[in-house]
Amino acid sequence: MLVEAFGSAVLGLALSWAAVRRLPGRLPPVRVVLATGALGALFGAALVHYSLGPGHRTLTATFLGAALVGAAGLSLLLRPGRPGAGAGRAPFSVPSGG
């Protein structure tokens, strides 16, 4: 259980660090992002660990659950991008004929 918790926390910190490096202008302060990634991954690991029950404790499933819940938590922190940063129109919009 200790290895799962430590590994999940490290995985959550790695996910949040990658998000901060990839999308710096669309996320809140770095401390919030790092805390959200680590806590989300810990919650995901605990959720998978207890849902599988005794006898089915695999590190792969636990880390996969930690990564999914951590990424979902980080996605909730994203803000919309700047209006001028795109190609000039909203995605999936139909150009006007005028």
Side-chain angles (χ1 to χ4, degrees):
M1 180 79 178
L2 186 62
V3 172
E4 292 173 349
F6 181 72
S8 297
V10 169
L11 181 63
L13 287 173
L15 280 172
S16 56
W17 177 79
V20 166
R21 298 278 294 174
R22 181 84 171 126
L23 305 164
R26 295 185 57 192
L27 290 169
V30 177
R31 295 172 78 185
V32 173
V33 176
L34 291 176
T36 302
L39 291 175
L42 283 171
F43 178 71
L47 186 71
V48 170
H49 180 80
Y50 291 119
S51 66
L52 290 179
H56 292 90
R57 299 183 184 183
T58 61
L59 282 176
T60 306
T62 303
F63 288 156
L64 181 64
L68 289 175
V69 175
L74 289 173
S75 72
L76 295 174
L77 296 177
L78 284 174
R79 296 183 210 150
R82 293 176 299 164
R89 66 177 196 222
F92 305 113
S93 65
V94 179
S96 62

